[in-house]
Amino acid sequence: AQLTQQFESPDDLEEFVHQALGDNAFQADTAAVGEGRVPQGLQGLLETAHYRDYNLIERAVFDDFAPHGPETYEPFYAGGSRLTPDLISALRQIDPGRRRVLSARFAREVAAARVVDQALQVLKSLAAARTIPELRSSDFVVSEIDRAMADLKRQIEELMFERRVRQSLVTDLAQLILAEAD
């Protein structure tokens, strides 16, 4: 159920994996690896998601379109923050300069939550793939799955570390600015 919440179709899951980890072409009965696509990684997926989410939020809080329609909140991360009518109303009441900053930050948070959640679902899928007898019987395939899992875990840890550092620095700066303004 969690997998289907994150990916609408098997093709979407496949595309996420290709973009996050790249791909290799190989035959199960040999150790030969052919050319594949170079991955953009989770950071690239995050930037793409942020751009899409920011444009949606921007339209909702600055333009005149109905904040209650499904086009506003359906694309957002199913298990986390949503762009609800209450949130849109609250953002619309804020000074436009601050509104733009908060909208961008909210879009980044939503995008990061979605990308990390999708990556966690891919990790679960890869772990499940290791248990398939036809795949488990090939040491090469198991090592490729293990490599992909390690790479994905590393990318998740890097994203989370970056987020914690950025949040800490921005919070400290924001507090300094507010203190200076008083």
Side-chain angles (χ1 to χ4, degrees):
Q2 291 174 338
L3 193 59
T4 58
Q5 282 182 334
Q6 294 303 321
F7 302 100
E8 290 183 24
S9 72
D11 291 341
D12 291 341
L13 172 61
E14 181 181 1
E15 185 60 26
F16 182 91
V17 172
H18 287 279
Q19 289 182 20
L21 299 169
D23 65 346
N24 291 317
F26 63 90
Q27 272 189 283
D29 61 344
T30 72
V33 177
E35 292 292 319
R37 285 195 287 181
V38 177
Q40 66 172 326
L42 294 182
Q43 190 66 43
L45 288 165
L46 174 59
E47 292 306 317
T48 301
H50 174 255
Y51 178 76
R52 190 196 73 218
D53 291 346
Y54 181 72
N55 286 334
L56 183 65
I57 291 170
E58 182 88 356
R59 284 191 352 251
V61 300
F62 283 98
D63 295 345
D64 224 6
F65 84 86
H68 304 283
E71 70 278 357
T72 306
Y73 51 84
E74 276 183 3
F76 280 86
Y77 167 56
S81 300
R82 291 179 184 255
L83 191 57
T84 62
D86 290 344
L87 184 55
I88 292 170
S89 295
L91 283 167
R92 284 181 173 180
Q93 294 173 18
I94 296 173
D95 166 77
R98 281 191 67 214
R99 185 182 333 158
R100 199 165 303 283
V101 169
L102 291 172
S103 297
R105 190 169 173 188
F106 182 70
R108 182 160 292 282
E109 293 292 321
V110 170
R114 182 186 312 105
V115 168
V116 168
D117 202 34
Q118 288 174 325
L120 292 171
Q121 294 306 316
V122 169
L123 273 175
K124 288 178 185 178
S125 297
L126 288 169
R130 288 182 98 255
T131 66
I132 298 171
E134 294 82 7
L135 299 180
R136 191 176 56 218
S137 66
S138 170
D139 291 339
F140 174 72
V141 173
V142 170
S143 69
E144 282 295 302
I145 291 172
D146 290 345
R147 181 200 55 77
M149 289 176 68
D151 186 25
L152 202 51
K153 286 177 184 177
R154 179 191 53 77
Q155 289 186 60
I156 292 168
E157 288 170 6
E158 287 173 1
L159 275 179
M160 296 308 294
F161 175 74
E162 182 181 325
R163 183 183 177 280
R164 285 189 301 271
V165 168
R166 189 176 292 125
Q167 187 176 26
S168 174
L169 295 174
V170 170
T171 299
D172 292 346
L173 178 60
Q175 289 174 349
L176 179 64
I177 291 169
L178 290 171
E180 289 293 319
D182 287 337

